[in-house]
Amino acid sequence: MEEGLIMKTNRRKMSWVQLTFITAANMLGAGIIMLPSQLAEVGTISIFSWIITSLGSLALAMTFSRCGMFTTKTGGMGGYAEYGYGRIGHFMTNYAYSVSIVIANVAISISAVGYGAGFLGMDFSPVQTCLYTIALLWIAASLNIKGSRYSSRLTTFTIWCSILPILTISVIGWYWFNPTTWIDAWCPNPISWSDAVGNSIALTLWSFLGLESASVNADAVENPRTSVPKATFLSTAFVAVIYIASTNVIAGIVPNAELLTSDAPFGMAFARMFGSTTGRIVMGLMAFACAGSLLSWQFTLARVFKTSAERGLFPKVFAKVTQADVPLHGMFLILVMQTLLSLMTISPSLSAQFARLANWAVVTNVIPYIFCALSLKPLLKAEGITNTECNKNMSSFLAGVSLIYCLYALTTITFATFLGGAFVLFIGWLTYMIRFNILKTNFIINQEAK
């Protein structure tokens, strides 16, 4: 999962180069650092998953860039979905997105615990991992009580603690790359090509979450109608290359059997390249990066709930703020949910627990993507956008590819994971319908009383 960095200023707007950097940084956060171990279960054949996901992510990113450029509604992805599906579309999009961040933050915390254990040279039991995960979630939230001023500064610094090792190994790691090691890890399990690729689609998509960042920042960039598509395409393409390079070079440095059992794969790779001390330093840096990412996302998550509550979509308790404009009550309720989720997903393997959470986060996050892809055409029509302003055929093509990819991603997850995601979405829909009917009934009663 990636830091929610947003740079908006009234004095000076960003250039397309700055927007490209911010969008790439949002994707190059904590989302990739556990994947080499996860992908080791599938093998290096997962390179095809990376290619498919990269193309699907490019289509999604360009779809979001069009939504962000031409919408006049607020609410981010919920505002986009409102064009096609009205208020319930806005609610379901923001609800699913909020749930995905709740889950993703637990996964980020687990990543930090895994790398922290490697840095300290310790092996945590499943219960210890769970307790440390919960403790880190609560600490990250408590540090935001006075507002986001300090957390945003820390996040801007800590993101480099993960970006630099990823970039470093992507560029110079090839010196230690062993083709035989990479080939031996091609497909360690006796499964078909389609099953092998499908088994890693959801995990590769997890690492691209945050690709909508450029469209979110559309009003803070110079010439958004040209800058946003350019920044979106270049950042997503660059990140795709880095992801493919880093995960595959690690697979050629560290034997597959060792990667499978690693809770800190990047640290293990650097240990083989430069020695154990360097490996532990990298583990420490990435643990610090995850903690910084979590600090930012815990605050961002509370703000997402707050914004939806202010629009009447979420319970009003999430809209209550302190004098520092911190939604303290909402943060506490979110922490309770994350604590329960951490307890529910205790696993003998930290890597397995991370994979389960990452898959759940992808399932819930794909739903907003689908809503937005389906709403692009109604959005362009409602805003009166001409073909000169935006090539509608290309927009329909990109939205179609995005939709196909998202639906394909859903078919690759396990039935239990899909069922869990569907149940969460059903609860959200049921809550909305009950709340809507109660409000509607009260309105009718008040009107009749008058």
Side-chain angles (χ1 to χ4, degrees):
M1 192 62 178
E2 304 72 21
E3 283 76 14
L5 301 177
I6 297 178
M7 292 181 62
K8 294 184 179 182
T9 174
N10 295 324
R11 297 180 181 177
R12 184 179 178 184
K13 292 191 175 183
M14 291 183 289
S15 66
W16 69 267
V17 176
Q18 292 172 309
L19 184 62
T20 300
F21 170 78
I22 289 171
T23 306
N26 285 348
M27 287 184 279
L28 275 174
I32 184 70
I33 67 175
M34 288 295 294
L35 284 194
S37 296
Q38 297 300 318
L39 295 176
E41 298 181 12
V42 178
T44 50
I45 194 175
S46 61
I47 190 172
F48 290 109
S49 300
W50 278 119
I51 294 172
I52 293 171
T53 296
S54 297
L55 295 174
S57 296
L58 278 170
L60 278 165
M62 298 305 290
T63 298
F64 278 118
S65 72
R66 282 162 169 75
C67 289
M69 285 188 297
F70 299 114
T71 184
T72 57
K73 295 182 182 293
T74 59
M77 288 191 287
Y80 308 158
E82 193 170 337
Y83 285 93
Y85 300 93
R87 188 173 174 83
I88 190 171
H90 191 140
F91 168 79
M92 289 302 298
T93 298
N94 279 6
Y95 168 77
Y97 184 61
S98 300
V99 171
S100 74
I101 302 178
V102 170
I103 299 170
N105 281 7
V106 179
I108 292 173
S109 185
I110 287 174
S111 299
V113 171
Y115 273 84
F119 173 70
L120 297 173
M122 302 174 64
D123 289 323
F124 294 151
S125 68
V127 174
Q128 286 177 315
T129 297
C130 178
L131 294 177
Y132 288 134
T133 297
I134 294 171
L136 187 57
L137 287 165
W138 281 78
I139 291 171
S142 63
L143 291 176
N144 280 306
I145 290 178
K146 292 186 178 181
S148 64
R149 180 181 177 185
Y150 299 106
S151 63
S152 61
R153 290 179 180 178
L154 181 61
T155 298
T156 302
F157 169 74
T158 58
I159 189 174
W160 287 101
C161 294
S162 62
I163 289 179
L164 288 178
I166 293 171
L167 291 177
T168 299
I169 201 168
S170 299
V171 176
I172 69 172
W174 299 102
Y175 180 80
W176 292 267
F177 180 83
N178 186 337
T180 302
T181 302
W182 189 87
I183 293 172
D184 289 343
W186 179 250
C187 191
N189 301 307
I191 55 178
S192 65
W193 178 87
S194 59
D195 288 339
V197 173
N199 287 346
S200 52
I201 284 291
L203 289 172
T204 52
L205 177 56
W206 153 265
S207 63
F208 280 95
L209 300 186
L211 52 84
E212 67 278 1
S213 300
S215 61
V216 172
N217 287 287
D219 62 342
V221 67
E222 298 172 353
N223 302 316
R225 294 196 177 186
T226 57
S227 297
V228 171
K230 187 186 297 185
T232 298
F233 179 83
L234 291 176
S235 61
T236 307
F238 170 74
V239 167
V241 171
I242 295 299
Y243 282 162
I244 294 173
S246 61
T247 53
N248 280 275
V249 75
I250 289 177
I253 295 175
V254 183
N256 196 67
E258 294 182 31
L259 273 181
L260 279 171
T261 58
S262 176
D263 293 334
F266 276 88
M268 178 178 285
F270 272 91
R272 282 182 167 266
M273 292 163 58
F274 301 111
S276 59
T277 300
T278 302
R280 292 186 67 175
I281 290 173
V282 169
M283 292 178 189
L285 288 174
M286 288 197 156
F288 189 52
C290 285
S293 171
L294 188 64
L295 184 65
S296 173
W297 272 110
Q298 286 292 78
F299 186 83
T300 300
L301 177 58
R303 302 297 296 187
V304 171
F305 272 82
K306 174 181 176 292
T307 301
S308 296
E310 288 174 341
R311 295 204 59 176
L313 298 173
F314 286 9
K316 292 182 180 180
V317 65
F318 290 104
K320 295 181 179 180
V321 296
T322 64
Q323 291 183 346
D325 194 35
V326 176
L328 189 60
H329 293 85
M331 288 173 63
F332 175 76
L333 292 175
I334 290 168
L335 282 169
V336 171
M337 288 186 275
Q338 291 173 328
T339 299
L340 293 175
L341 185 60
S342 300
L343 294 170
M344 288 168 53
T345 56
I346 290 180
S347 173
S349 167
L350 182 147
S351 181
Q353 185 177 10
F354 171 85
R356 186 183 307 167
L357 290 164
N359 283 326
W360 281 352
V362 167
V363 170
T364 50
N365 207 71
V366 161
I367 303 305
Y369 287 179
I370 291 175
F371 272 117
C372 293
L374 291 173
S375 298
L376 177 57
K377 186 175 180 179
L379 186 156
L380 296 177
K381 182 178 180 180
E383 295 297 339
I385 305 302
T386 64
N387 204 52
T388 304
E389 296 175 285
C390 177
N391 189 319
K392 293 184 179 180
N393 289 332
M394 177 57 70
S395 296
S396 297
F397 172 76
L398 291 171
V401 172
S402 300
L403 181 62
I404 291 171
Y405 172 72
C406 288
L407 293 175
Y408 170 61
L410 289 176
T411 65
T412 63
I413 61 175
T414 64
F415 179 73
T417 302
F418 178 82
L419 194 62
F423 177 74
V424 169
L425 293 173
F426 172 74
I427 293 298
W429 174 84
L430 184 63
T431 302
Y432 176 86
M433 295 304 295
I434 293 174
R435 179 177 174 81
F436 175 78
N437 286 327
I438 290 174
L439 291 175
K440 185 177 180 180
T441 301
N442 290 338
F443 175 79
I444 294 174
I445 293 173
N446 292 333
Q447 289 296 105
E448 290 178 349
K450 292 180 180 180

